[in-house]
């Protein structure tokens, strides 16, 4: 697209700022660099002003150095989840089999595959829209995406072979979903946000079944909140995993890690 005039750029920034976009200049830059025509710029600005998440507007999100395709109605990968990827890579640099459970866009699986040298990659999600999106993102790494409820979606041949099991499960308590920013509660699927009464329903389910899927010495990594971390560690321990907590104050990220004995 030919460069827009300074007045046109200023009008985009002004429209975004008026809509409450805190980082209006940065968002304008992303929109202008993604749109192919002035008409597309106008459409994108209108959608953003209407409250659509920026990543859904431009069709991609930056995650762990990758440009991840994101579709409307699919959970947008959070930058804090890059800490989970970093911990997995540090703990299992030679991982041969990686599973991204509750994969959403497949961002975690794609990032792990890119960092680990293209291991055998599998991803799974219960949401058909997420599965379609993830297939696009893991295709460069020959990843396979399966549709279904947690481990029920995975091929039985993976049982006992998984070196890294990344499960970015929903962990927002049900009664707090309505308190989320409108970009999340109005535009992302409830199944990707609602973690049950205390937010840990899926954490317990994944931890309870993880050992039979992990290879000896394999690890499970789950993101949680600061106030849920102790209960999540206890759930891992009750499930027979050797549990530890990793924290990044800078990214405000809390990851519970469990190892198969």
């Amino acid at each position: 697209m030919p460069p827009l005039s300074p007045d046109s750029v200023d009008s985009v920034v002004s429209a975004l700022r008026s809509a409450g976009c805190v980082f209006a200049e940065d968002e304008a830059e992303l929109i202008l660099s993604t749109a192919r025509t002035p008409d597309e710029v106008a459409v994108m600005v209108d959608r953003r002003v209407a409250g659509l998440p920026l990543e859904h507007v431009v069709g991609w999100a930056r995650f762990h150095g990758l440009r991840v395709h994101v579709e409307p109605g699919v959970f947008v990968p959070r930058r804090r989840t890059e800490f989970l990827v970093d911990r997995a890579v540090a703990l299992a640099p030679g991982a041969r089999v990686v599973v991204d459970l509750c994969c959403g866009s497949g961002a975690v699986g794609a990032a792990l595959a890119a960092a680990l040298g293209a291991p055998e990659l599998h991803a799974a999600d219960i949401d058909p829209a997420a599965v379609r999106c993830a297939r696009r993102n893991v295709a460069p790494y020959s990843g396979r995406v399966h549709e279904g409820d947690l481990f029920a979606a995975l091929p039985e041949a993976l049982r006992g072979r998984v070196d890294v099991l990344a499960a970015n499960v929903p962990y927002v308590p049900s009664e707090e979903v309505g308190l989320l920013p409108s970009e999340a509660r109005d535009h992302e699927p409830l199944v990707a946000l609602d973690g049950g009464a205390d937010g840990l329903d899926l954490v317990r389910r994944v931890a309870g079944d993880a050992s039979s899927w992990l290879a000896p010495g394999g690890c499970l990594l789950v993101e949680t909140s600061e106030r849920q971390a102790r209960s999540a560690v206890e759930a891992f321990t009750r499930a027979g995993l050797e549990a530890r907590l990793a924290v990044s104050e800078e990214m405000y990220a809390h990851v519970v890690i469990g190892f198969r004995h």
Side-chain angles (χ1 to χ4, degrees):
M1 184 182 73
L4 295 179
S5 69
D7 287 346
S8 297
V9 174
D10 288 345
S11 69
V12 170
V13 172
S14 177
L16 295 175
R17 187 178 290 120
S18 297
C21 299
V22 177
F23 303 104
E25 291 84 359
D26 294 337
E27 293 195 10
E29 182 180 349
L30 283 175
I31 288 173
L32 293 169
S33 66
T34 301
R36 293 166 295 184
T37 67
D39 285 345
E40 280 194 3
V41 171
V43 170
M44 287 184 179
V45 171
D46 287 346
R47 294 175 74 198
R48 182 61 178 134
V49 167
L52 202 68
L54 177 66
E55 294 82 0
H56 289 164
V57 169
V58 298
W60 59 276
R62 183 68 65 186
F63 184 80
H64 209 266
L66 302 179
R67 187 162 166 157
V68 176
H69 175 68
V70 179
E71 299 176 4
V74 174
F75 183 80
V76 175
R78 308 313 198 234
R79 293 298 295 273
R80 66 174 173 270
T81 308
E82 294 179 355
F83 180 64
L84 183 153
V85 173
D86 289 337
R87 295 313 307 147
V89 172
L91 290 168
R96 293 174 295 178
V97 180
V98 171
V99 169
D100 179 5
L101 209 58
C102 296
C103 67
S105 66
V108 169
L112 286 170
L116 292 170
E120 179 183 344
L121 172 63
H122 294 263
D125 203 287
I126 198 170
D127 183 2
V131 169
R132 290 193 302 271
C133 188
R135 283 184 175 140
R136 178 169 175 177
N137 286 317
V138 305
Y141 311 99
S142 301
R144 296 175 56 194
V145 186
H146 314 278
E147 183 178 335
D149 185 22
L150 299 180
F151 295 103
L154 299 178
E156 278 294 317
L158 288 177
R159 196 178 286 273
R161 296 181 51 231
V162 180
D163 298 307
V164 172
L165 174 57
N168 193 23
V169 302
Y171 56 88
V172 179
S174 299
E175 64 180 14
E176 296 180 18
V177 171
L179 304 178
L180 291 172
S182 61
E183 291 182 3
R185 69 173 187 266
D186 294 338
H187 299 284
E188 294 182 325
L190 183 62
V191 70
L193 302 171
D194 190 342
D198 65 352
L200 296 176
D201 283 2
L202 277 296
V203 171
R204 295 187 190 94
R205 287 183 59 195
V206 171
D209 291 336
S211 289
S212 64
W213 292 89
L214 290 173
C219 58
L220 163 67
L221 301 97
V222 172
E223 185 178 282
T224 187
S225 70
E226 180 179 13
R227 63 189 171 92
Q228 295 167 316
R230 176 177 294 182
S231 296
V233 168
E234 291 173 355
F236 274 44
T237 301
R238 286 194 300 271
L241 298 167
E242 178 187 334
R244 69 176 68 161
L245 176 66
V247 177
S248 169
E249 299 290 350
E250 178 185 0
M251 302 182 76
Y252 199 64
H254 298 73
V255 174
V256 181
I257 305 166
F259 297 89
R260 175 184 164 184
H261 290 294

